Amino acid sequence: MDLSFLMDYVNLVTLGICLCIGFALKYAKLFEWMGNQYIPLAMLILGTVINIMVSWPDVGSKIILEGMISGLASTGFYEMLRNMLRKDGKKKEESGKEF
């Protein structure tokens, strides 16, 4: 199944903002009350809000979809980068380290 058509709906600015805020949510002690399992949901909502704010008077279903996909893509992009930057190739449970 080819999902490359989803790349047409990714807004790089929204993805970058959600990536940085999602990273902060994951590692900031201030947000420990929010579990990691809720970060994708938070990025979906944040990506939608950012995309609506950026293109305010011309909001339509495409803008909302772009925000949702960009927010969710930021969590996948984080996981991809984390796995690529892992030096020893071991899983977190084996090495005990995050990176």
Side-chain angles (χ1 to χ4, degrees):
M1 180 178 207
D2 186 27
L3 297 176
S4 62
F5 70 94
L6 289 176
M7 290 304 295
D8 296 336
Y9 295 102
V10 173
N11 184 325
L12 292 179
V13 173
T14 304
L15 186 138
I17 293 170
C18 287
L19 179 67
C20 293
I21 293 175
F23 183 83
L25 286 176
K26 184 166 180 69
Y27 291 106
K29 300 285 185 195
L30 179 64
F31 299 106
E32 284 182 342
W33 57 270
M34 185 171 106
N36 287 340
Q37 70 267 22
Y38 297 114
I39 292 177
L41 176 63
M43 294 305 100
L44 179 131
I45 294 168
L46 182 66
T48 305
V49 169
I50 289 171
N51 241 26
I52 288 172
M53 286 173 35
V54 168
S55 54
W56 171 238
D58 302 323
V59 176
S61 58
K62 184 176 184 224
I63 299 298
I64 294 171
L65 183 63
E66 281 179 3
M68 295 170 91
I69 290 176
S70 298
L72 288 176
S74 70
T75 58
F77 189 63
Y78 167 78
E79 292 294 326
M80 182 186 73
L81 285 176
R82 185 184 63 149
N83 290 333
M84 285 176 51
L85 294 175
R86 191 171 286 146
K87 292 181 177 39
D88 55 3
K90 294 181 181 176
K91 292 183 179 178
K92 178 182 174 185
E93 295 84 25
E94 295 173 4
S95 67
K97 293 187 265 182
E98 185 66 29
F99 281 104

